[in-house]
Amino acid sequence: MRGRTVFLYIYLIIVFTVLVAGSAMLGYLLAETAAVKQSEQFTAFNPDLPTRILDIRGDLITEFSSNEKREIIKFEQIPPALINALLVREDRSFYRHRGFTLKAIFRAVIGKLTHRTLGGGSTITQQIAGLLYCDRTDMSISRKIKELWWAIQMERRYSKDEILELYLNKVYFGGGTYGVSAACRFYFGHSVAEITPAEAAILVIQLSSPAKYNPFEYPNVVQERQSYVLDEMVRLGYLTKEERDESYDEYWAHFDYTRTASSAWFNREDKARWFSEYVRRQLETMMYGTMDFYSDGYIVHTTCDLRHQAAAEKEMGDYIRIANTRVKNTRSHRFAQSELYSNITALVSLAFNIPALHIDSERVQAKTLSYYRSDLNPIVDMAAMLFGLNNLKITGTKSTAKVQDELARKTVEGTLICLENNTGYITALVGGSRFDESNQMIRATQGRVQPGSSFKPLLYSAAFDTKLITPATVLEDTPQVFQNQSGVPYIPNNYAGHWQGTVLAWRALARSLNIPAIKVLDTIGFDAAITRSAALLGITDQDEIDRTFPRVYPLALGVISVAPIQMAKAFAIFGNQGRRVDPIAIRTVENRNGTIVMDPERDLRLEQRRRGTAMQVISPQNAYLMTSVLQKTITAGTLMTASGSGSKFRFKDKKSGKYFSMPIAGKTGTTQNWSDAWAIGYSPYYTAAVWFGYDKGGQSLGLDNTGAMLAGPPWANFMKAIHEDMPYRDFIRPETGLTTVSVCSKSGMLQTPYCNEGTVSLYFLSGTEPTEACTYHEANNVLLEIAKDRLRKSNYSTGQTPVDIIKTDVLIDPRIFEDPEPSKHRRTGNASSYTTDPFITDELTVPSDSGNVLEPDPLLHSGEDNSSTEPPVLTPQQEQNTQNPGIQPGQTSGQSGVNNTIQPPIPQTHPDSGTIDEGTPVPSFPPIESDPSGSESETQEQNNGAIQGEGINPWL
């Protein structure tokens, strides 16, 4: 009896313990699941959301996400075809079970024990429960038990449709996409609402193994699995046979076999890929260690203007292709020429035993590589994908990698950056040809290249402030030798070896002449030039300044390394009245609730206020003076052709209907060996910098890819596009400190009645304007009168009737055409060879085919030996008045019956004479640079010593 009582007590204690433990366990489980109803609401689950990047007007540029590229959709938005495909592939009894099926569980267990693939054991509910509450990488029984428990709880609380909605918004579809909406855009390029049955089958087979069933990597394997799903949909009545075939055929008929299996990051929709990449890098710096912009769903307000960006990408894309085509054609021409002589070279090599000349093998190798790269390699890649020859594809990729790297060295790249002058907003950014896995260098900000002649405005800005140089300073553009500090002679050259003689400083800058720029550097010194250039480029560290600016004369020609964004900043300062311009791309950052968490623009403006007067990099007067000079580059300089002499910037005001020309200033640049081409310019609104060149130096763009010819057109087209709807605005001129003076376009001095080569209106810093009258043309007029008088006297000395010389029109006395008495002391000859009688030295006849009366040019005669055998040249005034001798004003050459072969005698001067008539000293003047029209626009005044196209000047 006692034993039974003890046993009963033990039994009761055990039962009580079990009940207590069970109750505790149940309570714990219930406590753990108490908040399931709230946490299972997907929108309240605080899911990972992408960061949205917006432009200046609030338009979406792109979205940033890392692991979870997600776009949440409602169940009602999901097409039935996708639901049916999912049920066929993953869980055909979904709408009948309670979260699990014993059949599926036993099937999975048997498959595990027999090491066979008999199908998954998890329902759709179990899969989403495992994603939300378990670690699905844990392949253990305990994880399966937890997954089952949570699946039962979810089935108790939510409808089947809600579970499907949660599932399709959460699961991973490969390619870095989470959720069916993001997956549709990645794989098919459209929204989920447009999905077809064939596309739905592609998506659902990604769920089991996205890497194995990627359609871009293994299209043949995908076709097989896709067909199975579609056939099952037909068998179960979800689809007709005709719908199945039509959908399947349409998908593969438009399938892109050339697309690579890159991640969704590189295939996401992005309207400004280079700009958004620049913003992403900025965000990584700003949010490092504090926030995750890939998943926290921020809204980033940027400075980009998608209208500017579209224009920039179009122009740069077009001209990068043009540049590469030009380079390729040049190389192909050289290669074709070499083939003409290859056989001869091979023969010489064999005949004289010179192996170095035997180039057949090299030529064959070059042609073979070209054929493989352009024709054979794409076929090999396609065959490898279609037939599952993975080893062949890998081998082919490796074999072409080296060739592609070599091609990159010879591929022309380009960049463009646009800044708003008064705010520093980056409104457009193109970093290169195409942003992808192999091309992510933003050349506008990361590139370090030589600016070439586009650096010269920085030098002239310093020169004008020293007051040693003004826009009207006369500079010599002639061959010169400069001595560097090391004593090594430096002999610079101009583009194409052309020289302009004496030019004014403004014209030297507009035409980008090298010798005057070096003379300017030599005049103001290296300290002034480097200090100003560093300030404009934003370089403040002294060590960096020392590294950047070498103290050698080529500095004047831009032999330094800078980023295009630095050059854009420097020119923007000219357009911003000399105030510093700080480029900025991000204005504000909001969290998903709309609260501003970062305000970079406000921080920048506060910093600018703290700088105070230090924001004024150069004076407003210097900035306006530089602008006035650089505006002439558009109308009379290196940007004249690209801008149509400024006509591209003529717009119609929408309000008034009147036309106006937007003020634009700029400069081009071409570096040594034509390896870099630049165009930088600005308006009162924006500054844009364009660069073309190679990522790896040593290559030449070619003679037809200079700054004016390659970079100028896209720059001008871009500036035209972004100013299309802008109202007129002029550069702000300071009220004091500047003076406007109209000067002689030849001497740079004040105009006189004798100045007949045009005038130009220039701005000067007050106190530097010219105060003396031009003496150049007055002296020329004196020389002209002296020459006429000598000609008259010479006619008397030869016994002929003198020519009547009238200042307005030179008329020839008809009696000179009467044949004089033959003289036995007469000298005859022609333009190239003359026979002189030793007794007569005053008379000269010229070839009978000449129809002009020639007079010596007194301007160019300065005491040199006048016995040259070349004929003299007309002055511009004489050319106008002596088109046909013997023809009166208003009479045409066809009306004259007079023989035009007899010429008046021309006097000679003794070689050792240093004076002209009565001891008048001969002043030394620079070569003529005439502008008869008086216009500021450029005219062809001289060409290799020729004046007005009338022969060659023998004294130049």
Side-chain angles (χ1 to χ4, degrees):
M1 186 71 181
R2 181 178 176 84
R4 298 174 73 182
T5 302
V6 172
F7 178 76
L8 179 61
Y9 278 115
I10 294 175
Y11 175 77
L12 291 175
I13 291 173
I14 293 174
V15 170
F16 179 77
T17 302
V18 171
L19 290 176
V20 170
S23 299
M25 179 62 68
L26 179 62
Y28 171 77
L29 293 175
L30 291 175
E32 284 290 307
T33 58
V36 168
K37 185 171 183 177
Q38 290 73 27
S39 64
E40 287 170 0
Q41 291 286 351
F42 190 68
T43 55
F45 208 99
N46 197 28
D48 292 341
L49 293 177
T51 290
R52 295 165 57 84
I53 310 300
L54 308 181
D55 84 333
I56 192 75
R57 296 177 298 160
D59 294 335
L60 179 66
I61 299 175
T62 190
E63 293 180 343
F64 290 160
S65 62
S66 182
N67 291 330
E68 300 190 18
K69 174 66 177 73
R70 190 192 313 281
E71 298 174 13
I72 300 174
I73 61 172
K74 297 293 184 181
F75 181 79
E76 295 77 14
Q77 299 174 290
I78 304 174
L82 180 57
I83 299 294
N84 295 334
L86 176 63
L87 296 179
V88 168
R89 181 69 176 84
E90 293 294 322
D91 192 352
R92 300 183 185 183
S93 61
F94 174 73
Y95 279 96
R96 299 193 301 271
H97 61 64
R98 294 290 183 178
F100 67 94
T101 62
L102 293 176
K103 178 181 178 181
I105 294 175
F106 283 119
R107 182 177 64 237
V109 170
I110 294 173
K112 196 73 173 177
L113 295 175
T114 59
H115 302 287
R116 297 168 60 190
T117 303
L118 300 178
S122 299
T123 63
I124 288 178
T125 310
Q126 287 176 282
Q127 292 181 42
I128 190 61
L131 286 172
L132 294 175
Y133 305 108
C134 304
D135 180 9
R136 299 207 78 193
T137 62
D138 179 16
M139 308 303 260
S140 63
I141 297 177
S142 61
R143 194 268 293 177
K144 296 297 291 185
I145 294 175
K146 291 180 182 178
E147 188 179 277
L148 177 61
W149 168 263
W150 287 107
I152 295 173
Q153 300 306 314
M154 292 182 67
E155 287 281 348
R156 290 176 53 225
R157 300 181 183 276
Y158 290 101
S159 68
K160 293 291 186 177
D161 291 348
E162 289 174 326
I163 293 174
L164 277 180
E165 177 184 328
L166 181 61
Y167 180 86
L168 289 173
N169 279 293
K170 183 69 177 177
V171 294
Y172 179 64
F173 283 94
T177 60
Y178 286 77
V180 67
S181 183
C184 275
R185 295 193 181 278
F186 171 64
Y187 287 106
F188 316 124
H190 57 69
S191 67
V192 67
E194 304 172 38
I195 197 169
T196 66
E199 292 172 340
I202 292 288
L203 283 188
V204 298
I205 63 177
Q206 305 300 312
L207 297 173
S208 59
S209 179
K212 181 179 179 181
Y213 297 128
N214 189 299
F216 309 117
E217 193 71 22
Y218 308 105
N220 52 332
V221 177
V222 170
Q223 284 180 339
E224 178 185 349
R225 303 306 301 167
Q226 179 192 37
S227 296
Y228 171 77
V229 174
L230 291 174
D231 291 341
E232 288 296 297
M233 292 175 68
V234 172
R235 188 178 67 82
L236 296 174
Y238 296 126
L239 203 64
T240 66
K241 184 68 167 60
E242 291 75 16
E243 291 173 335
R244 182 260 187 221
D245 294 340
E246 180 183 357
S247 177
Y248 180 88
D249 294 340
E250 182 182 3
Y251 177 80
W252 291 107
H254 298 90
F255 183 73
D256 183 7
Y257 285 94
T258 64
R259 180 175 167 181
T260 59
S262 57
S263 69
W265 177 259
F266 293 103
N267 291 279
R268 73 187 190 279
E269 184 178 356
D270 196 332
K271 299 175 183 176
R273 194 167 293 273
W274 287 105
F275 181 87
S276 60
E277 174 63 14
Y278 180 72
V279 168
R280 187 191 67 81
R281 298 178 187 182
Q282 295 281 315
L283 290 174
E284 282 188 340
T285 302
M286 295 162 57
M287 296 183 173
Y288 179 76
T290 57
M291 297 175 280
D292 183 5
F293 64 87
Y294 291 110
S295 59
D296 290 347
Y298 294 102
I299 298 176
V300 181
H301 298 273
T302 71
T303 63
C304 177
D305 190 326
L306 284 176
R307 298 169 299 180
H308 294 191
Q309 185 68 30
E313 291 185 359
K314 177 185 180 302
E315 294 300 328
M316 293 306 295
D318 290 345
Y319 277 87
I320 287 176
R321 287 191 292 271
I322 290 173
N324 280 288
T325 300
R326 290 175 181 174
V327 172
K328 180 180 178 181
N329 290 341
T330 301
R331 289 174 180 155
S332 298
H333 178 67
R334 290 199 299 263
F335 188 78
Q337 284 183 322
S338 67
E339 283 203 306
L340 293 176
Y341 304 99
S342 61
N343 293 332
I344 299 176
T345 304
L347 180 61
V348 172
S349 171
L350 295 173
F352 296 95
N353 192 25
I354 310 177
L357 290 179
H358 195 67
I359 62 172
D360 279 357
S361 59
E362 288 81 358
R363 187 174 75 252
V364 171
Q365 181 183 14
K367 296 179 70 174
T368 302
L369 288 174
S370 177
Y371 171 75
Y372 176 79
R373 184 175 61 251
S374 60
D375 299 330
L376 189 59
N377 191 47
I379 298 175
V380 171
D381 283 347
M382 186 175 295
M385 288 192 302
L386 290 176
F387 299 105
L389 304 176
N390 297 328
N391 292 334
L392 176 61
K393 182 175 178 61
I394 295 173
T395 303
T397 302
K398 290 182 178 179
S399 65
T400 56
K402 186 175 181 180
V403 177
Q404 295 298 332
D405 181 68
E406 183 64 24
L407 284 176
R409 296 174 178 268
K410 302 177 182 179
T411 300
V412 180
E413 284 288 355
T415 190
L416 181 150
I417 186 168
C418 179
L419 305 178
E420 189 174 46
N421 296 338
N422 60 342
T423 62
Y425 286 174
I426 302 176
T427 66
L429 176 63
V430 176
S433 55
R434 183 172 183 264
F435 182 84
D436 54 26
E437 295 94 327
S438 61
N439 188 12
Q440 300 182 37
M441 177 182 178
I442 305 177
R443 292 159 184 84
T445 58
Q446 295 178 279
R448 290 296 182 271
V449 291
Q450 293 188 8
S453 295
S454 63
F455 175 80
K456 291 175 183 175
L458 283 62
L459 173 66
Y460 277 81
S461 172
F464 291 157
D465 267 353
T466 64
K467 300 185 178 180
L468 299 174
I469 303 291
T470 72
T473 299
V474 176
L475 300 172
E476 295 287 341
D477 182 41
T478 56
Q480 298 184 42
V481 179
F482 297 88
Q483 294 289 336
N484 284 315
Q485 291 181 339
S486 60
V488 178
Y490 173 58
I491 308 175
N493 197 359
N494 277 336
Y495 172 75
H498 294 164
W499 310 96
Q500 301 295 322
T502 56
V503 293
L504 301 188
W506 75 265
R507 193 185 299 274
L509 180 57
R511 287 185 169 183
S512 196
L513 303 180
N514 290 341
I515 302 299
I518 299 174
K519 290 291 292 183
V520 168
L521 175 60
D522 194 38
T523 300
I524 68 174
F526 285 102
D527 289 337
I530 292 174
T531 300
R532 172 57 53 85
S533 301
L536 289 170
L537 293 171
I539 304 175
T540 57
D541 182 71
Q542 188 59 47
D543 292 337
E544 185 179 357
I545 292 175
D546 294 338
R547 291 193 305 268
T548 303
F549 301 99
R551 291 179 173 268
V552 293
Y553 284 112
L555 173 65
L557 309 183
V559 186
I560 61 174
S561 294
V562 294
I565 191 174
Q566 291 178 288
M567 294 299 298
K569 284 172 51 178
F571 277 70
I573 290 174
F574 294 145
N576 194 34
Q577 304 176 67
R579 288 179 60 82
R580 172 171 172 163
V581 177
D582 297 300
I584 181 175
I586 301 174
R587 296 185 295 139
T588 59
V589 179
E590 300 176 1
N591 62 17
R592 67 176 66 192
N593 299 320
T595 304
I596 295 179
V597 295
M598 303 185 73
D599 197 338
E601 184 175 9
R602 182 195 62 187
D603 298 339
L604 175 62
R605 303 308 174 208
L606 291 175
E607 176 62 25
Q608 289 176 338
R609 291 194 190 100
R610 283 193 291 268
R611 292 185 190 133
T613 57
M615 285 293 295
Q616 197 70 42
V617 180
I618 59 177
S619 68
Q621 291 78 11
N622 183 277
Y624 190 84
L625 179 60
M626 286 303 306
T627 297
S628 68
V629 173
L630 291 175
Q631 282 182 276
K632 298 183 184 299
T633 306
I634 307 296
T635 57
T638 54
L639 282 171
M640 180 174 61
T641 301
S643 65
S645 297
S647 62
K648 269 189 181 176
F649 310 126
R650 185 169 176 80
F651 306 101
K652 183 177 182 180
D653 186 87
K654 288 187 174 180
K655 293 183 179 179
S656 64
K658 297 181 179 179
Y659 287 88
F660 65 89
S661 293
M662 185 70 74
I664 303 286
K667 183 74 181 70
T668 61
T670 306
T671 59
Q672 189 177 14
N673 195 35
W674 295 271
S675 57
D676 302 273
W678 288 81
I680 314 174
Y682 57 97
S683 72
Y685 291 101
Y686 303 106
T687 298
V690 173
W691 168 86
F692 291 92
Y694 296 94
D695 289 338
K696 299 179 181 179
Q699 299 291 329
S700 174
L701 293 171
L703 297 179
D704 54 353
N705 279 333
T706 63
M709 298 176 67
L710 177 59
W715 172 85
N717 295 340
F718 173 76
M719 292 292 281
K720 173 182 173 61
I722 67 176
H723 288 89
E724 194 68 46
D725 298 322
M726 306 294 292
Y728 175 80
R729 180 188 291 181
D730 203 352
F731 294 106
I732 300 176
R733 175 185 173 181
E735 297 181 358
T736 59
L738 287 175
T739 304
T740 309
V741 179
S742 182
V743 300
C744 172
S745 62
K746 181 62 183 178
S747 66
M749 296 185 288
L750 299 179
Q751 183 186 15
T752 69
Y754 296 100
C755 294
N756 59 358
E757 298 188 52
T759 60
V760 57
S761 180
L762 297 175
Y763 284 92
F764 299 87
L765 296 177
S766 296
T768 65
E769 66 273 10
T771 56
E772 298 181 359
C774 175
T775 59
Y776 177 81
H777 295 93
E778 183 178 2
N780 282 355
N781 188 68
V782 172
L783 290 177
L784 181 61
E785 294 300 326
I786 293 173
K788 291 178 180 179
D789 184 65
R790 290 186 59 202
L791 178 61
R792 189 179 296 108
K793 292 180 180 180
S794 175
N795 288 339
Y796 278 117
S797 66
T798 59
Q800 297 189 20
T801 303
V803 177
D804 292 333
I805 300 177
I806 304 173
K807 292 184 178 179
T808 55
D809 294 299
V810 178
L811 303 179
I812 307 301
D813 190 333
R815 289 174 295 176
I816 68 170
F817 296 106
E818 298 176 3
D819 291 336
E821 286 292 327
S823 172
K824 37 185 181 176
H825 304 296
R826 186 174 180 82
R827 181 179 65 178
T828 61
N830 52 44
S832 60
S833 176
Y834 297 92
T835 304
T836 306
D837 191 306
F839 300 99
I840 301 296
T841 59
D842 297 346
E843 192 169 313
L844 174 68
T845 59
V846 295
S848 60
D849 59 351
S850 174
N852 293 328
V853 176
L854 302 181
E855 296 180 356
D857 188 347
L859 172 64
L860 299 175
H861 179 211
S862 57
E864 299 90 347
D865 184 359
N866 222 17
S867 61
S868 169
T869 60
E870 298 205 32
V873 183
L874 286 173
T875 64
Q877 184 67 30
Q878 291 167 331
E879 178 195 21
Q880 179 182 355
N881 298 328
T882 59
Q883 294 299 317
N884 282 308
I887 301 176
Q888 299 300 325
Q891 181 183 8
T892 65
S893 59
Q895 297 170 327
S896 175
V898 183
N899 189 329
N900 295 336
T901 61
I902 307 298
Q903 308 299 329
I906 298 176
Q908 295 184 359
T909 303
H910 294 290
D912 58 350
S913 173
T915 60
I916 299 179
D917 193 56
E918 299 179 359
T920 304
V922 182
S924 176
F925 296 105
I928 292 178
E929 186 181 76
S930 62
D931 188 2
S933 65
S935 171
E936 295 179 21
S937 63
E938 203 57 44
T939 58
Q940 187 65 27
E941 298 148 348
Q942 283 186 277
N943 185 12
N944 295 330
I947 301 179
Q948 298 284 334
E950 185 68 30
I952 301 299
N953 192 332
W955 289 278
L956 289 182

